[in-house]
Amino acid sequence: MKYFVAGNWKTHLTGSAASELAGQVLSHCDELGVAVFPPSLYAERVGQVLAGSSIGLGLQDISEQGQGATTGDICSEQALDVGCQFVLVGHSERRQRQGETNEWVAQKALAAVQAGLTPVVCVGETLEQRESGQQLAVVNAQLTPVLASLPAQASWMVAYEPVWAIGTGKTASAEQAQAMHNAIRAQLGESNMQSTKILYGGSVKAANAEELAECPDVDGALVGGAALKIDEFAAIVAAFREKK
Ligand code: PEP
């Protein structure tokens, strides 16, 4: 798999609309390296639409614990049971709203890996942190406990998502994205994990996908808003397919 383009549907859509969008993804981009992350309630239903295709399926969060007394959570075993292969962990919306810490995110990533899921670990700095020049230190600190806990052969990915670019229409420039991805690649290299895919996320759309796909260290995209419009999503997939 040379690239990975994932649609994070967040809490958009109800059941029939989620099935419909899955059907559109199936007819426009049924290929290895494309995945969708529907609301967890509809993962099984979306999985049924995608059955037999090359499109991956994931949840937007996972418990760091197994089955047990963690009300409201979903554990890795349950994600696997409904056909998921992937899971997002540490999305900035969860770090902000649910108070997920770097250590907690690392525990989630480890639980996912141990169960056989591929976690996509989301990292990224706030606007305030970028404006004060802390972006490299912030992302480094977010990744440090993950690198310390995952086994060397783990299947996982990083999604660099500057918080100021998520859902705001502002995208990091190709230069800003490449600089951060290059720094992340160097940090991964210190743990012999330099081949781990690094996705960019933050207002990716058809209009900016090509220049992001041209960046040597941008291996794919995590797409929010534009993943809900099939023409946009298919164009983003096409940009990465052509450039990688
Ligand atoms: C996201 O939520 O992961 C994301 C990148 O959202 P958007 O593309 O809407 O900025």
Side-chain angles (χ1 to χ4, degrees), residues 137-148:
V138 167
V139 170
N140 186 287
Q142 289 171 331
L143 280 175
T144 295
V146 180
L147 287 164

Side-chain angles (χ1 to χ4, degrees), residues 8-215:
N8 173 13
W9 297 356
K10 309 193 185 189
T11 41
H12 294 289
L13 312 173
T14 51
S16 54
S19 296
E20 193 182 327
L21 182 56
Q24 292 173 341
V25 176
L26 185 62
S27 50
H28 285 78
C29 26
D30 179 5
E31 59 199 73
L32 209 60
V34 172
V36 295
F37 292 74
S40 48
L41 201 54
Y42 305 129
E44 189 163 19
R45 181 170 176 164
V46 165
Q48 284 160 1
V49 176
L50 302 178
S53 78
S54 300
I55 300 166
L57 179 68
L59 298 187
Q60 299 168 16
D61 176 47
I62 204 74
S63 175
E64 80 285 4
Q65 300 198 21
Q67 289 185 40
T70 52
T71 303
D73 280 0
I74 297 173
C75 69
S76 296
E77 197 182 346
Q78 292 160 340
L80 287 166
D81 188 46
V82 298
C84 293
Q85 306 91 33
F86 301 97
V87 65
L88 302 181
V89 295
H91 191 282
S92 66
E93 286 155 12
R94 295 197 61 85
R95 289 180 188 263
Q96 287 179 337
R97 293 172 47 82
Q98 275 77 24
E100 293 188 5
T101 61
N102 297 342
E103 289 68 28
W104 190 5
V105 170
Q107 287 170 16
K108 286 173 181 243
L110 177 61
V113 164
Q114 285 175 335
L117 290 162
T118 297
V120 178
V121 178
C122 303
V123 296
E125 80 286 357
T126 62
L127 185 59
E128 208 183 0
Q129 289 164 335
R130 177 159 283 263
E131 283 176 349
S132 55
Q134 295 175 69
Q135 65 271 21
L136 288 175
V138 167
V139 170
N140 186 287
Q142 289 171 331
L143 280 175
T144 295
V146 180
L147 287 164
S149 63
L150 291 189
Q153 300 311 319
S155 167
W156 68 295
M157 297 181 228
V158 179
Y160 168 58
E161 301 202 296
V163 178
W164 47 271
I166 296 180
T168 58
K170 288 183 195 163
T171 321
S173 66
E175 293 72 29
Q176 286 171 320
Q178 172 55 27
M180 184 60 86
H181 281 231
N182 188 261
I184 293 171
R185 183 86 63 208
Q187 190 181 359
L188 293 171
E190 289 164 17
S191 301
N192 286 323
M193 287 183 172
Q194 59 277 2
S195 55
T196 300
K197 284 198 170 26
I198 311 170
L199 319 180
Y200 173 79
S203 299
V204 179
K205 44 189 181 270
N208 58 25
E210 249 179 74
E211 61 169 343
L212 289 164
E214 268 164 12
C215 299

